[in-house]
Amino acid sequence: MTEHTHNDFQFLDVLRKEPKRKALGKRKREFIEIYNIFEPERATEQAERCLDCGNPYCEWKCPVHNYIPNWLKLITEGRIFEAAELSHQTNSLPEVCGRVCPQDRLCEGACTLNQTGFSAVTIGSVEKYISDTAFAMGWRPDISHVKSTGKKVAIIGAGPAGLGCADVLVRNGVTPVVFDRNPEIGGLLTFGIPEFKLEKTVMSRRREIFTEMGIEFRLNTEIGKDISMQQLLDDYDAVFMGMGTYTYMQGGFPGEDLAGVYDALDFLIANVNHNLGFEKSADDFISMKGKQVVVLGGGDTAMDCTRTSIRQGATTVTCAYRRDAENMPGSRKEVKNAKEEGVRFLFNRQPIEIVGNGKVEGIKVVETELGEPDARGRRSPVPIAGSEEILPADAVIIAFGFRPSPAPWFEEHKINLDNQGRVVAPASGPYQYQTNNPKIFAGGDMVRGSDLVVTAIAEGRGAAEGILNYLKV
């Protein structure tokens, strides 16, 4: 083990550095992760920049409250297995969060160094390094000391919420059985997020690890079709629902029904299925090769669509967003990568109509300026009269976000919804994330609305605590 002498002023001598990226020309053509893993020396060097604050803002800003300064310190000491163990105490998918979390809005955004002009510690990249390196060295979570309680819980959905719930349950002696309609675990981690951000071997490896821990997966199984909810309630001590949000939000303007207009999720899922060989028909694939593509929206899903279109061989790719760059909800890092890969950004452009004769030929937008803040504190875009223009387009991808897709059997089993179609399962109350049906719990996007991977993990883990209390184990 290499010995390192800690330098409290490392941040003065060493600048923030991300792992090296693959060559631009190569990454624009391939569906592979663009960031290489840190070399051990670089990971240690970056971890040593941490000030080890007495009140770690990074930890509190993280939805799962990772022990960030603690595992950074372990990396500086070369104690990779202990760092992996510690990171798994709070996060069920640290190697995923290290790749896809918008750290600039969470832990790194809250880093004290970031507030003082020295640039944040590269927390996300080190988090990825810890798990990937430990796994490669043979480390696995050790739950050999856990005694079975004899209890079983059915989990609907193998996305981040369901996996977070299963992880906590199995570590406490409860057997989780996870049902998912897809052929692989991960939900949108596998079938929505493109491979240039998250290669799918990450999730297949994670399935193997969870299986070794005692989590059972029943894939290609849809509740309400292949097995009834009532059967789950009869056969299991409790049920957790982590089914996500899959219904896309429309813009409500003319032309959305024209040929060549696509929902972001349909486009991304079709691309992943094509790459993984899961597509049922060649006609399912949506190709942007040779097309002028306009993506509407400013979040991470919009960035995924723009960068996927680049890799598919689109002639031009434009992202139109109705607010300015500062107010884009997506990760700054993803916007930077998209620009470098050739995406053109048009800010302060609000779509008002998709035009064409039977198929998309363009999209009419109006320039906006920011007005007064809305109910969430964000300044609302106000159209500027007479500023309309038509952007040429052969394809338009709508990435305005997603809303819940309540199952038809919810009402039968007394699963209440709010006025936005979200499952009512409060974090407070006798048992965390319990629905109106005392045996059913829920968490993640279907409860809070579309949000981050890490918030879904946090809610799944919180729901597991509620279930453990409910089962009195």
Side-chain angles (χ1 to χ4, degrees), residues 338-393:
K339 286 181 177 178
E340 290 179 356
E341 292 168 8
V343 177
R344 173 192 178 212
F345 283 83
L346 282 179
F347 297 107
N348 296 103
R349 298 296 196 284
Q350 183 165 308
I352 54 179
E353 181 183 3
I354 300 174
V355 298
N357 184 14
K359 63 181 180 64
V360 173
E361 296 175 8
I363 179 162
K364 182 183 287 187
V365 297
V366 62
E367 192 172 348
T368 65
E369 57 186 1
L370 296 182
E372 295 301 315
D374 60 17
R376 295 181 296 174
R378 298 180 69 196
R379 295 177 65 190
S380 301
V382 178
I384 299 174
S387 64
E388 295 86 354
E389 63 176 318
I390 294 178
L391 308 177

Side-chain angles (χ1 to χ4, degrees), residues 134-378:
F135 290 153
M137 294 172 64
W139 179 85
R140 294 293 184 271
D142 180 13
I143 60 169
S144 58
H145 62 285
V146 176
K147 295 182 179 180
S148 173
T149 63
K151 301 289 187 181
K152 290 195 309 178
V153 172
I155 294 176
I156 307 173
L163 296 177
C165 182
D167 180 33
V168 172
L169 291 176
V170 78
R171 289 172 181 269
N172 285 275
V174 175
T175 300
V177 181
V178 184
F179 297 83
D180 198 281
R181 62 185 179 181
N182 292 308
E184 182 56 278
I185 73 166
L188 293 182
L189 296 177
T190 299
F191 296 95
I193 295 178
E195 296 95 315
F196 50 77
K197 287 170 61 177
L198 177 65
E199 290 180 11
K200 305 316 168 186
T201 52
V202 174
M203 295 313 301
S204 57
R205 178 183 62 190
R206 177 51 75 172
R207 173 168 51 82
E208 293 171 3
I209 291 169
F210 277 149
T211 300
E212 291 170 5
M213 291 171 63
I215 299 172
E216 181 181 344
F217 293 101
R218 297 188 186 177
L219 304 177
N220 294 307
T221 303
E222 185 172 349
I223 305 306
K225 179 180 178 183
D226 301 305
I227 184 172
S228 69
M229 182 63 165
Q230 187 58 53
Q231 186 173 341
L232 296 185
L233 292 169
D234 292 342
D235 294 349
Y236 294 86
D237 297 293
V239 176
F240 172 77
M241 303 191 308
M243 297 151 64
T245 52
Y246 285 84
T247 302
Y248 85 99
M249 297 171 64
Q250 295 183 304
F253 41 75
E256 284 187 277
D257 57 349
L258 285 174
V261 179
Y262 303 99
D263 156 36
L265 201 51
D266 287 348
F267 170 62
L268 294 172
I269 291 175
N271 185 74
V272 171
N273 282 337
H274 177 75
N275 291 345
L276 297 182
F278 286 144
E279 61 186 354
K280 297 175 182 177
S281 166
D283 294 336
D284 294 339
F285 180 52
I286 302 171
S287 175
M288 297 299 162
K289 185 175 182 179
K291 295 180 179 179
Q292 298 176 93
V293 179
V294 175
V295 177
L296 304 177
D300 286 344
T301 300
M303 296 308 101
D304 292 346
C305 291
T306 61
R307 300 177 66 200
T308 295
S309 298
I310 288 286
R311 284 160 177 77
Q312 287 188 355
T315 304
T316 62
V317 180
T318 301
C319 179
Y321 179 59
R322 62 181 184 156
R323 291 184 173 92
D324 59 15
E326 188 63 31
N327 282 279
M328 285 188 80
S331 164
R332 299 290 183 267
K333 183 167 66 175
E334 291 305 305
V335 173
K336 178 184 176 183
N337 287 330
K339 286 181 177 178
E340 290 179 356
E341 292 168 8
V343 177
R344 173 192 178 212
F345 283 83
L346 282 179
F347 297 107
N348 296 103
R349 298 296 196 284
Q350 183 165 308
I352 54 179
E353 181 183 3
I354 300 174
V355 298
N357 184 14
K359 63 181 180 64
V360 173
E361 296 175 8
I363 179 162
K364 182 183 287 187
V365 297
V366 62
E367 192 172 348
T368 65
E369 57 186 1
L370 296 182
E372 295 301 315
D374 60 17
R376 295 181 296 174
R378 298 180 69 196

